[in-house]
């Protein structure tokens, strides 16, 4: 029996490898090969969040005795990460293991847990998610899918996703100087929630 591949198979395989290696890491936090295999799988996925989450687990599992391995892992992921995240990890290469609760953890981390010090938006959705949602909102705007746009605005308010709203709003203002009234109301609500935070 032959197996047919589809264009999405590489992503599916990367996610399966992420899960498989995560199980190994949970059983043995010090499994270097599992951490590195998981990092390679994370780099096969789009966005920065998977790689950052995997690195947070690796930096939590190993201290100063594995600084060379930590440096190598960071170099593999460097191009995928934001500059400030790279600096945070660089400051930890020669340090003891990361604390179990850290601002460097993401939803892809299995050992490390995200700190409550990060924004509400970051806890509920990643920067990658916000960008995708904003792009989808612009596609919905072009296709005049009002229900989908209302769902987007609801997401922005409930998740305090200022980033997604700002990206979509900027794209809209580039096309037209006037925003629809519901977008103005959403903008006001997001501003008020920021002032109350």
């Amino acid at each position: 029996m032959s197996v047919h591949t589809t264009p999405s198979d590489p992503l599916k395989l990367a996610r399966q490898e992420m899960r498989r290696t995560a199980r190994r890491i949970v059983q043995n936090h010090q499994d270097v090969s599992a951490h590195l295999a998981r990092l390679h799988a994370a780099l096969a996925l789009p966005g920065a969040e998977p790689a950052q989450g995997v690195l947070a687990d690796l930096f939590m599992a190993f201290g100063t005795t594995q600084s060379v391995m930590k440096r190598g892992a960071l170099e593999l992921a460097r191009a995928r990460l934001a500059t400030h995240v790279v600096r945070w990890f660089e400051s930890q290469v020669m340090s003891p293991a990361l604390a179990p609760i850290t601002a460097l953890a993401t939803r892809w981390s299995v050992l490390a847990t995200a700190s409550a010090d990060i924004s509400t938006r970051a806890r509920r959705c990643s920067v990658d998610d916000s960008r995708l949602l904003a792009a989808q909102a612009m596609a919905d705007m072009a296709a005049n899918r009002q229900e989908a746009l209302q769902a987007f605005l609801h997401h922005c308010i409930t998740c305090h996703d200022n980033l997604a709203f700002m990206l979509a709003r900027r794209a809209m203002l580039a096309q037209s100087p006037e925003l629809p009234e519901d977008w103005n109301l959403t903008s006001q609500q997001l501003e008020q929630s920021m002032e109350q935070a």
Side-chain angles (χ1 to χ4, degrees), residues 15 47 64 70 79 84 92 100 111 117 141 148 160 173 181 197:
R15 284 190 206 96
T64 54
K70 288 162 58 176
H84 72 282
Q92 298 297 318
L111 300 179
D117 291 341
M141 178 64 73
H160 303 277
L173 288 172
E181 184 57 30

Coordinates of all heavy atoms in Angstrom, one line a residue, residues 15 47 64 70 79 84 92 100 111 117 141 148 160 173 181 197:
R15 N 4.8 18.7 13.9 CA 3.9 18.7 15.1 C 4.0 17.3 15.8 O 4.0 17.3 17.0 CB 2.5 19.1 14.7 CG 2.3 20.5 14.5 CD 0.8 20.9 14.3 NE 0.6 22.0 13.5 CZ 0.3 22.0 12.2 NH1 0.2 20.9 11.6 NH2 0.2 23.1 11.6
G47 N 6.6 30.7 12.4 CA 6.6 31.6 13.5 C 7.7 31.4 14.5 O 8.5 30.4 14.4
T64 N 24.7 25.6 34.0 CA 26.0 26.0 33.5 C 26.8 24.9 32.9 O 27.7 25.1 32.0 CB 26.8 26.7 34.6 OG1 26.9 25.8 35.7 CG2 26.2 28.0 35.1
K70 N 23.6 24.9 25.2 CA 22.6 26.0 25.2 C 23.0 27.0 24.2 O 22.1 27.5 23.4 CB 22.6 26.6 26.6 CG 21.9 25.7 27.7 CD 22.2 26.1 29.1 CE 21.8 27.4 29.5 NZ 22.0 27.6 31.0
A79 N 17.8 33.2 14.2 CA 17.2 33.9 13.1 C 15.6 34.0 13.3 O 15.0 34.9 12.7 CB 17.6 33.3 11.8
H84 N 15.0 41.0 21.2 CA 15.0 41.1 22.7 C 14.9 39.7 23.3 O 15.5 39.5 24.4 CB 13.9 42.0 23.2 CG 12.5 41.4 23.1 ND1 11.8 41.4 21.9 CD2 11.7 40.8 23.9 CE1 10.7 40.8 22.0 NE2 10.5 40.4 23.3
Q92 N 21.3 34.1 29.7 CA 21.1 32.9 30.5 C 22.0 31.7 30.1 O 22.0 30.7 30.7 CB 19.6 32.4 30.3 CG 18.6 33.4 30.9 CD 18.8 33.6 32.4 OE1 19.0 32.7 33.1 NE2 18.7 34.9 32.8
P100 N 11.4 27.5 36.8 CA 10.2 26.8 36.1 C 9.2 27.8 35.6 O 8.5 27.5 34.6 CB 9.6 25.9 37.2 CG 10.7 25.8 38.2 CD 11.5 27.0 38.2
L111 N 8.0 22.0 30.0 CA 8.6 22.1 31.3 C 8.4 23.4 32.0 O 8.1 23.5 33.1 CB 10.1 21.7 31.2 CG 10.5 20.4 30.7 CD1 12.0 20.2 30.7 CD2 9.9 19.2 31.5
D117 N 3.9 37.8 34.6 CA 4.4 39.1 34.3 C 4.2 39.5 32.8 O 4.4 40.7 32.5 CB 5.9 39.2 34.6 CG 6.1 39.2 36.1 OD1 5.2 39.4 36.9 OD2 7.3 38.9 36.5
M141 N -12.4 41.7 5.4 CA -12.8 43.0 5.0 C -13.0 43.1 3.5 O -14.0 43.6 3.0 CB -11.8 44.1 5.6 CG -12.2 45.5 5.2 SD -13.7 46.1 5.9 CE -13.2 46.3 7.6
A148 N -17.5 37.5 10.3 CA -16.1 37.2 10.7 C -15.4 38.4 11.2 O -14.6 38.3 12.2 CB -15.4 36.7 9.4
H160 N -7.7 41.1 24.8 CA -6.9 42.3 24.9 C -5.8 42.2 23.8 O -4.6 42.6 24.1 CB -6.2 42.4 26.3 CG -7.2 42.5 27.4 ND1 -7.9 43.7 27.8 CD2 -7.7 41.5 28.2 CE1 -8.7 43.4 28.8 NE2 -8.6 42.2 29.1
L173 N -6.7 51.8 7.6 CA -6.5 53.3 7.4 C -5.6 53.6 6.2 O -5.7 54.7 5.7 CB -5.8 53.9 8.7 CG -6.7 54.0 9.9 CD1 -6.0 54.4 11.2 CD2 -7.9 54.9 9.7
E181 N -17.7 52.5 12.5 CA -18.0 52.9 13.9 C -17.7 51.8 14.9 O -17.2 52.1 16.0 CB -19.5 53.3 14.0 CG -19.9 53.8 15.4 CD -19.1 55.0 15.9 OE1 -18.6 55.8 15.0 OE2 -18.9 55.2 17.1
A197 N -5.4 48.6 33.4 CA -4.5 47.5 33.7 C -3.4 48.0 34.6 O -3.1 49.2 34.7 CB -3.9 47.0 32.4

